[in-house]
Amino acid sequence: MKSSLNAGTSLLARRHGEYGVDAPYVPLMLGGIGLVALLIAIVMLAVFQAGLVTLIFLLYALFMFLSAASYLYTTRRGKFQAWAELLAALSLRGEEQVLDIGCGRGAVLLMAAHLLSTGKATG
């Protein structure tokens, strides 16, 4: 049962549209802050030979780069997987009526409609 749920979830999570990046300035800001921290770390090491301060700035830069990568993954792939798991857990029979209020670009609505054979999805 668990493997069939996982197979259905992965099929449902495949999207066929381009939904873009939510708030595209966020990963740019995170990456920019990481770049500034990296440059400060390089200057601290080259000019002042400040090992501990350099390490702190390097770790901060790494954190910012990983945050930007996590944000991009979540907005491009992760949220679709989470939605697919939630919809699969509903165990819809296919004849229901689904109402999505505030459906935005309609990604969740389309995923729910995919589960309906004779039902109706409205957004």
Side-chain angles (χ1 to χ4, degrees), residues 91-116:
S91 300
L92 298 176
R93 295 181 310 271
E95 60 204 31
E96 295 84 1
Q97 291 188 16
V98 175
L99 175 63
D100 186 357
I101 298 175
C103 58
R105 296 176 183 157
V108 178
L109 179 65
L110 291 174
M111 291 170 76
H114 183 72
L115 296 173
L116 305 175

Side-chain angles (χ1 to χ4, degrees), residues 2-123:
K2 182 93 170 164
S3 64
S4 66
L5 182 63
N6 288 342
T9 301
S10 65
L11 285 174
L12 192 59
R14 278 195 205 137
R15 61 191 199 285
H16 297 286
E18 182 59 40
Y19 296 96
V21 175
D22 300 331
Y25 54 86
V26 172
L28 290 174
M29 287 186 345
L30 291 170
I33 292 169
L35 185 60
V36 168
L38 182 63
L39 293 174
I40 291 172
I42 291 170
V43 168
M44 287 294 189
L45 185 62
V47 176
F48 302 110
Q49 280 105 31
L52 182 60
V53 175
T54 299
L55 180 62
I56 291 170
F57 275 101
L58 282 175
L59 289 174
Y60 188 72
L62 178 64
F63 176 75
M64 288 292 118
F65 290 140
L66 289 175
S67 295
S70 174
Y71 186 90
L72 288 172
Y73 169 77
T74 302
T75 192
R76 301 282 297 155
R77 176 80 178 112
K79 66 182 177 186
F80 294 96
Q81 186 65 33
W83 292 335
E85 290 171 9
L86 288 170
L87 287 171
L90 292 176
S91 300
L92 298 176
R93 295 181 310 271
E95 60 204 31
E96 295 84 1
Q97 291 188 16
V98 175
L99 175 63
D100 186 357
I101 298 175
C103 58
R105 296 176 183 157
V108 178
L109 179 65
L110 291 174
M111 291 170 76
H114 183 72
L115 296 173
L116 305 175
S117 53
T118 59
K120 181 178 177 184
T122 305

